[in-house]
Protein backbone atom coordinates (compact mmCIF):
# COMPACT_ATOMS: atom_id res chain seq x y z
CA UNK A 1 0.00 0.00 0.00
CA UNK A 2 1.41 3.39 -0.97
CA UNK A 3 1.97 5.96 1.75
CA UNK A 4 1.30 9.54 0.76
CA UNK A 5 3.61 12.30 1.95
CA UNK A 6 2.55 15.60 3.43
CA UNK A 7 3.50 18.77 1.48
CA UNK A 8 6.25 19.38 4.05
CA UNK A 9 7.68 15.91 3.52
CA UNK A 10 7.48 16.31 -0.27
CA UNK A 11 9.51 19.54 -0.19
CA UNK A 12 11.98 17.95 2.20
CA UNK A 13 12.46 14.88 0.02
CA UNK A 14 12.91 17.10 -3.04
CA UNK A 15 15.65 19.04 -1.26
CA UNK A 16 17.46 15.81 -0.37
CA UNK A 17 17.22 14.65 -3.98
CA UNK A 18 18.63 17.94 -5.25
CA UNK A 19 21.54 17.82 -2.82
CA UNK A 20 22.29 14.30 -4.04
CA UNK A 21 22.21 15.51 -7.65
CA UNK A 22 24.58 18.35 -6.75
CA UNK A 23 27.04 15.90 -5.19
CA UNK A 24 26.85 13.59 -8.20
CA UNK A 25 27.04 16.26 -10.89
CA UNK A 26 30.02 17.97 -9.25
CA UNK A 27 31.84 14.69 -8.54
CA UNK A 28 32.30 15.67 -4.92
CA UNK A 29 34.45 13.46 -2.74
CA UNK A 30 34.99 13.28 1.04
CA UNK A 31 36.55 16.54 2.13
CA UNK A 32 34.91 18.68 -0.57
CA UNK A 33 32.83 21.65 0.53
CA UNK A 34 29.08 21.98 -0.01
CA UNK A 35 27.35 25.31 -0.76
CA UNK A 36 26.10 27.24 2.23
CA UNK A 37 22.59 26.76 3.56
CA UNK A 38 21.55 30.08 2.00
CA UNK A 39 23.08 29.20 -1.38
CA UNK A 40 21.34 25.83 -1.42
CA UNK A 41 18.02 27.45 -0.54
CA UNK A 42 18.42 29.99 -3.36
CA UNK A 43 19.61 27.45 -5.93
CA UNK A 44 16.90 24.91 -5.08
CA UNK A 45 14.20 27.55 -4.54
CA UNK A 46 13.38 25.92 -1.21
CA UNK A 47 12.89 27.26 2.29
CA UNK A 48 15.96 27.43 4.48
CA UNK A 49 14.21 25.35 7.14
CA UNK A 50 13.80 22.47 4.66
CA UNK A 51 17.43 22.75 3.62
CA UNK A 52 18.51 22.86 7.26
CA UNK A 53 16.56 19.68 8.08
CA UNK A 54 18.00 17.91 5.03
CA UNK A 55 21.54 18.79 6.08
CA UNK A 56 20.80 17.69 9.64
CA UNK A 57 19.63 14.30 8.35
CA UNK A 58 22.83 13.89 6.35
CA UNK A 59 24.97 14.90 9.31
CA UNK A 60 23.10 12.47 11.55
CA UNK A 61 24.31 9.62 9.34
CA UNK A 62 27.83 11.00 9.16
CA UNK A 63 27.58 11.86 5.46
CA UNK A 64 28.60 15.47 6.04
CA UNK A 65 30.35 17.38 8.78
CA UNK A 66 29.99 21.01 9.82
CA UNK A 67 33.19 22.83 10.71
CA UNK A 68 32.58 25.90 12.81
CA UNK A 69 33.43 29.04 10.87
CA UNK A 70 34.35 27.10 7.73
CA UNK A 71 31.20 25.50 6.33
CA UNK A 72 29.81 22.06 5.52
CA UNK A 73 31.95 19.32 4.00
CA UNK A 74 31.23 15.93 2.51
CA UNK A 75 32.37 13.21 4.88
CA UNK A 76 31.27 9.82 3.55
CA UNK A 77 28.87 9.43 0.65
CA UNK A 78 26.80 6.26 0.95
CA UNK A 79 23.62 4.92 -0.69
CA UNK A 80 21.09 7.71 -0.52
CA UNK A 81 18.05 5.58 0.26
CA UNK A 82 19.26 5.48 3.88
CA UNK A 83 19.20 9.26 4.10
CA UNK A 84 15.73 9.42 2.59
CA UNK A 85 14.48 6.93 5.17
CA UNK A 86 16.01 8.96 7.99
CA UNK A 87 14.55 12.19 6.65
CA UNK A 88 11.03 10.75 6.79
CA UNK A 89 11.68 9.54 10.33
CA UNK A 90 12.74 12.97 11.57
CA UNK A 91 9.59 14.59 10.19
CA UNK A 92 7.29 12.24 12.13
CA UNK A 93 7.48 14.41 15.22
CA UNK A 94 4.91 12.47 17.26
CA UNK A 95 7.00 9.32 17.06
CA UNK A 96 10.47 10.83 17.08
CA UNK A 97 11.11 10.61 20.82
CA UNK A 98 10.00 6.99 21.16
CA UNK A 99 11.80 5.81 18.03
CA UNK A 100 14.99 7.66 18.89
CA UNK A 101 15.18 6.18 22.39
CA UNK A 102 14.57 2.66 21.07
CA UNK A 103 17.16 3.06 18.33
CA UNK A 104 19.77 4.38 20.76
CA UNK A 105 19.10 1.49 23.11
CA UNK A 106 19.57 -1.02 20.28
CA UNK A 107 22.85 0.61 19.24
CA UNK A 108 24.13 0.64 22.82
CA UNK A 109 23.21 -3.01 23.27
CA UNK A 110 25.03 -3.99 20.11
CA UNK A 111 28.16 -2.00 20.94
CA UNK A 112 28.22 -3.56 24.41
CA UNK A 113 28.27 -6.96 22.71
CA UNK A 114 30.86 -5.97 20.10
CA UNK A 115 33.16 -4.40 22.71
CA UNK A 116 32.95 -7.58 24.81
CA UNK A 117 35.60 -9.23 22.66
CA UNK A 118 38.24 -6.62 23.43
CA UNK A 119 37.42 -5.54 26.99
CA UNK A 120 40.40 -6.06 29.32
CA UNK A 121 41.14 -5.38 32.99
CA UNK A 122 42.25 -1.83 32.22
CA UNK A 123 38.94 -1.12 30.47
CA UNK A 124 36.99 -2.55 33.41
CA UNK A 125 38.87 -0.23 35.76
CA UNK A 126 38.14 2.71 33.47
CA UNK A 127 34.43 1.89 33.30
CA UNK A 128 34.29 1.55 37.09
CA UNK A 129 36.05 4.89 37.45
CA UNK A 130 33.39 6.51 35.26
CA UNK A 131 30.51 5.09 37.32
CA UNK A 132 32.14 6.22 40.58
CA UNK A 133 33.04 9.71 39.39
CA UNK A 134 31.03 12.06 41.63
CA UNK A 135 31.86 15.04 39.41
CA UNK A 136 29.74 13.62 36.58
CA UNK A 137 25.95 13.72 36.55
CA UNK A 138 24.01 10.62 35.36
CA UNK A 139 23.84 11.87 31.76
CA UNK A 140 27.57 12.61 31.61
CA UNK A 141 28.36 9.20 33.08
CA UNK A 142 26.16 7.53 30.47
CA UNK A 143 27.87 9.32 27.60
CA UNK A 144 31.38 8.68 28.96
CA UNK A 145 30.58 5.02 29.63
CA UNK A 146 29.32 4.32 26.12
CA UNK A 147 31.95 6.47 24.46
CA UNK A 148 34.49 4.09 25.95
CA UNK A 149 32.59 1.06 24.63
CA UNK A 150 32.31 2.57 21.15
CA UNK A 151 36.06 3.19 21.21
CA UNK A 152 36.65 -0.46 22.09
CA UNK A 153 34.29 -1.57 19.33
CA UNK A 154 36.56 0.23 16.84
CA UNK A 155 33.76 1.10 14.41
CA UNK A 156 34.04 4.78 13.48
CA UNK A 157 30.79 4.99 11.51
CA UNK A 158 28.77 3.33 14.26
CA UNK A 159 30.30 5.65 16.84
CA UNK A 160 29.61 8.74 14.70
CA UNK A 161 25.96 7.83 14.17
CA UNK A 162 25.49 7.17 17.89
CA UNK A 163 27.15 10.44 18.89
CA UNK A 164 25.00 12.45 16.49
CA UNK A 165 21.85 10.66 17.66
CA UNK A 166 22.84 11.35 21.25
CA UNK A 167 23.29 15.05 20.48
CA UNK A 168 20.01 15.15 18.56
CA UNK A 169 18.16 13.42 21.42
CA UNK A 170 19.03 16.30 23.74
CA UNK A 171 16.50 18.41 21.86
CA UNK A 172 13.67 16.17 23.05
CA UNK A 173 14.90 14.33 26.15
CA UNK A 174 17.92 13.42 28.23
CA UNK A 175 18.40 9.83 29.26
CA UNK A 176 20.56 7.50 31.26
CA UNK A 177 19.99 4.03 32.68
CA UNK A 178 19.51 3.09 36.31
CA UNK A 179 22.92 3.12 38.04
CA UNK A 180 22.67 -0.62 38.77
CA UNK A 181 22.72 -1.30 35.03
CA UNK A 182 26.27 -0.06 34.54
CA UNK A 183 27.53 -2.13 37.50
CA UNK A 184 25.82 -5.24 36.16
CA UNK A 185 27.28 -4.78 32.69
CA UNK A 186 30.78 -4.39 34.14
CA UNK A 187 30.23 -7.55 36.15
CA UNK A 188 29.26 -9.42 32.98
CA UNK A 189 32.52 -8.29 31.40
CA UNK A 190 34.42 -9.46 34.47
CA UNK A 191 32.83 -12.90 34.49
CA UNK A 192 32.94 -13.29 30.70
CA UNK A 193 29.17 -13.75 30.57
CA UNK A 194 28.38 -12.67 27.01
CA UNK A 195 24.98 -14.39 26.85
CA UNK A 196 23.50 -12.23 29.62
CA UNK A 197 24.23 -8.89 27.91
CA UNK A 198 21.11 -9.18 25.75
CA UNK A 199 18.94 -9.98 28.76
CA UNK A 200 20.41 -7.10 30.76
CA UNK A 201 19.42 -4.59 28.08
CA UNK A 202 15.97 -6.11 27.68
CA UNK A 203 15.13 -5.52 31.34
CA UNK A 204 16.83 -2.16 31.92
CA UNK A 205 14.92 0.92 33.03
CA UNK A 206 15.49 4.27 31.33
CA UNK A 207 15.89 7.40 33.45
CA UNK A 208 14.67 10.51 31.58
Amino acid sequence: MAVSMSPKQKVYQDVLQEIRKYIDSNDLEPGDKLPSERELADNLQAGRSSVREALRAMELLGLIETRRGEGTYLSTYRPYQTVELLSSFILQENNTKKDLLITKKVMEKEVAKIAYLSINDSDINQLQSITHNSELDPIEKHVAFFNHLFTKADNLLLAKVWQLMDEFSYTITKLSYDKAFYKELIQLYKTKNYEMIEELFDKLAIRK
Side-chain angles (χ1 to χ4, degrees):
M1 180 176 65
V3 178
S4 61
M5 292 189 296
S6 69
K8 182 180 180 182
Q9 285 178 303
K10 184 64 168 61
V11 172
Y12 188 55
Q13 295 283 11
D14 287 346
V15 170
L16 284 167
Q17 291 286 358
E18 290 303 319
I19 293 176
R20 180 185 66 176
K21 291 178 183 178
Y22 179 90
I23 292 172
D24 289 340
S25 63
N26 289 276
D27 296 321
L28 295 186
E29 297 180 352
D32 290 340
K33 188 176 183 180
L34 290 175
S36 69
E37 182 182 296
R38 177 178 296 177
E39 290 173 326
L40 285 171
D42 290 342
N43 292 339
L44 304 178
Q45 296 184 337
R48 291 187 64 176
S49 62
S50 295
V51 172
R52 188 177 302 116
E53 288 299 315
L55 293 175
R56 184 194 301 180
M58 296 179 70
E59 185 172 17
L60 190 61
L61 277 184
L63 299 177
I64 61 174
E65 60 177 334
T66 301
R67 303 175 189 173
R68 189 179 298 275
E70 296 183 31
T72 302
Y73 293 80
L74 190 64
S75 178
T76 304
Y77 187 43
R78 294 183 180 274
Y80 210 73
Q81 289 77 10
T82 309
V83 182
E84 293 172 338
L85 177 62
L86 183 61
S87 70
S88 297
F89 155 78
I90 290 176
L91 285 175
Q92 295 171 359
E93 297 178 359
N94 292 333
N95 296 323
T96 296
K97 179 177 178 179
K98 176 184 175 183
D99 291 347
L100 185 57
L101 296 184
I102 291 174
T103 302
K104 283 185 81 254
K105 176 182 171 182
V106 169
M107 293 185 69
E108 289 165 357
K109 177 176 66 175
E110 292 307 312
V111 79
K113 292 160 68 176
I114 295 171
Y116 171 89
L117 297 174
S118 56
I119 291 288
N120 55 38
D121 290 342
S122 176
D123 295 310
I124 289 174
N125 290 335
Q126 179 64 28
L127 292 172
Q128 289 177 323
S129 177
I130 291 171
T131 62
H132 294 151
N133 190 338
S134 59
E135 295 182 359
L136 300 178
D137 64 30
I139 309 300
E140 292 170 330
K141 287 182 181 180
H142 181 86
V143 172
F145 191 96
F146 278 97
N147 267 330
H148 190 85
L149 294 187
F150 274 99
T151 299
K152 295 300 297 184
D154 194 27
N155 186 316
L156 183 60
L157 180 59
L158 187 64
K160 179 65 174 177
V161 173
W162 176 80
Q163 288 167 0
L164 288 168
M165 290 185 70
D166 185 65
E167 293 172 5
F168 180 68
S169 70
Y170 283 3
T171 65
I172 56 176
T173 189
K174 294 185 179 181
L175 70 84
S176 64
Y177 302 140
D178 186 89
K179 60 183 180 181
F181 163 83
Y182 306 97
K183 295 180 180 179
E184 290 184 40
L185 181 56
I186 291 173
Q187 185 62 26
L188 294 181
Y189 287 142
K190 281 184 176 180
T191 58
K192 307 297 183 182
N193 196 339
Y194 175 85
E195 291 75 13
M196 290 296 295
I197 294 177
E198 183 95 19
E199 183 175 329
L200 175 62
F201 274 86
D202 288 344
K203 71 178 183 179
L204 66 78
I206 296 177
R207 298 177 57 195
K208 292 177 276 187

